[in-house]
Amino acid sequence: MALFGNAHTIDSGEAQQEYARLLGNGEQVHAAYLLIRDTILFTDRRLILVDKQGITGKKVEYHSIPYRSITHFAVETAGTFDLDAELKIWVSGTAAPIEKTFTKGVDIYEVQAILTQFVAK
């Protein structure tokens, strides 16, 4: 499903090791998703979007969003004919949401629960 641009779950322990240089002291990855070459990390402190750019993907942008900056979010579950679930996150100071698409195999309710846990603090 990654060929269609949809995110799928990856092991949070592997993500913790792979992106250790990005994480603060004691920061833990709670969930991680892979979207073709890009990665979405939910840590106990922030949301990190890893955007690999260019043909080779050697140039990488790391977008860090503290949970306190998220004003609201929405999830749309997968349906019978629409096999993708969607996540939209609005960040303070921006009008358009960040949108990510997940395969039907990803538990979108888990994604929502992670955001609720950290955004509602």
Side-chain angles (χ1 to χ4, degrees):
M1 291 302 277
L3 294 175
F4 298 107
N6 299 328
H8 63 276
T9 306
I10 58 175
D11 181 69
S12 59
E14 289 177 19
Q16 180 83 29
Q17 289 179 342
E18 184 175 345
Y19 296 103
R21 294 180 2 186
L22 294 177
L23 303 175
N25 190 22
E27 187 173 10
Q28 295 293 311
V29 174
H30 284 266
Y33 301 91
L34 183 64
L35 175 60
I36 303 178
R37 300 185 307 173
D38 300 340
T39 305
I40 305 165
L41 303 172
F42 291 92
T43 78
D44 55 347
R45 300 180 189 170
R46 60 197 164 129
L47 175 65
I48 303 172
L49 305 175
V50 181
D51 180 16
K52 293 186 178 179
Q53 302 173 357
I55 295 171
T56 63
K58 290 188 185 237
K59 182 176 180 179
V60 182
E61 177 182 53
Y62 300 98
H63 193 110
S64 178
I65 304 168
Y67 290 119
R68 68 180 177 275
S69 298
I70 297 174
T71 59
H72 66 286
F73 59 90
V75 295
E76 181 179 304
T77 61
T80 303
F81 298 106
D82 180 9
L83 301 178
D84 303 327
E86 296 177 9
L87 170 66
K88 295 179 183 177
I89 300 173
W90 285 264
V91 178
S92 179
T94 61
I98 296 168
E99 298 183 45
K100 298 295 177 184
T101 303
F102 296 80
T103 62
K104 192 172 185 175
V106 171
D107 184 356
I108 197 69
Y109 295 107
E110 177 183 296
V111 175
Q112 176 178 285
I114 291 167
L115 278 170
T116 299
Q117 177 183 355
F118 296 117
V119 172
K121 280 187 177 181

